[in-house]
């Protein structure tokens, strides 16, 4: 069967109704990681600038320590929990991968922070 809309003297009006699944748990988890990356990159630029400018030791040593402290704070924020419905195996694996990777980076950052010497 072939359906068509008449184009005579009247203008056709079409209404499309669509429903989308809730993907906030995917978006929010990724946003959390992206914010952490953006902050880390900004702090790394500051550290590189201080190294090139040959800043005083107290200032140039304090910035990496501040960087590590803020990274540890960011990595301690948990990812959004997966909902009980509408999740796929890929969602589960991505969640586990992201969570494991964030924990691994957190352990490394804490280790670096514990071994860093503050100049104060």
């Amino acid at each position: 069967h072939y359906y068509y809309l008449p184009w005579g003297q009247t203008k056709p009006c079409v209404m499309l109704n669509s429903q989308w699944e809730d993907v906030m748990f995917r978006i929010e988890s990724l946003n959390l990681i992206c914010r952490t990356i953006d902050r880390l990159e900004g702090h790394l630029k500051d550290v590189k600038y201080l190294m090139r400018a040959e800043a005083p030791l107290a200032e140039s040593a304090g910035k990496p320590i501040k960087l590590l402290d803020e990274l540890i704070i960011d990595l301690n924020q948990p990812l959004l929990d997966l909902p009980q419905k509408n999740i796929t195996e890929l969602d589960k694996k991505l969640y586990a991968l992201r969570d494991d990777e964030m924990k691994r980076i957190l352990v490394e950052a804490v280790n670096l922070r514990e071994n860093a010497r503050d100049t104060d």
Side-chain angles (χ1 to χ4, degrees), residues 34-86:
C34 287
R35 278 192 301 272
T36 301
I37 291 169
D38 289 342
R39 286 177 53 151
L40 181 61
E41 286 175 344
H43 289 306
L44 285 173
K45 284 180 186 176
D46 293 344
V47 169
K48 287 179 184 178
Y49 175 76
L50 289 173
M51 289 173 65
R52 283 191 209 124
E54 297 178 6
L57 180 62
E59 186 180 348
S60 62
K63 193 66 175 174
I65 292 172
K66 181 182 175 192
L67 178 149
L68 287 171
D69 290 339
E70 290 189 11
L71 180 62
I72 290 168
I73 290 168
D74 287 345
L75 292 173
N76 275 319
Q77 294 179 2
L79 295 173
L80 251 58
D81 291 331
L82 291 175
Q84 297 301 318
K85 58 180 182 174
N86 296 334

Side-chain angles (χ1 to χ4, degrees), residues 9-120:
Q9 297 296 325
T10 61
K11 304 279 188 210
C13 180
V14 177
M15 183 178 96
L16 296 176
N17 186 12
S18 62
Q19 296 178 354
W20 298 83
E21 65 179 303
D22 182 20
V23 294
M24 285 303 295
F25 67 96
R26 293 181 189 132
I27 295 169
E28 286 301 320
S29 294
L30 191 56
N31 284 344
L32 176 70
I33 294 169
C34 287
R35 278 192 301 272
T36 301
I37 291 169
D38 289 342
R39 286 177 53 151
L40 181 61
E41 286 175 344
H43 289 306
L44 285 173
K45 284 180 186 176
D46 293 344
V47 169
K48 287 179 184 178
Y49 175 76
L50 289 173
M51 289 173 65
R52 283 191 209 124
E54 297 178 6
L57 180 62
E59 186 180 348
S60 62
K63 193 66 175 174
I65 292 172
K66 181 182 175 192
L67 178 149
L68 287 171
D69 290 339
E70 290 189 11
L71 180 62
I72 290 168
I73 290 168
D74 287 345
L75 292 173
N76 275 319
Q77 294 179 2
L79 295 173
L80 251 58
D81 291 331
L82 291 175
Q84 297 301 318
K85 58 180 182 174
N86 296 334
I87 59 170
T88 63
E89 285 299 314
L90 180 60
D91 291 329
K92 293 175 188 176
K93 290 182 189 234
L94 275 175
Y95 181 86
L97 179 69
R98 289 174 178 161
D99 193 48
D100 291 345
E101 198 65 25
M102 287 178 68
K103 287 177 183 174
R104 188 186 63 76
I105 295 170
L106 177 63
V107 168
E108 291 294 325
V110 168
N111 189 18
L112 276 172
R113 178 60 179 104
E114 288 172 354
N115 293 324
R117 288 184 275 147
D118 202 346
T119 60
D120 294 342

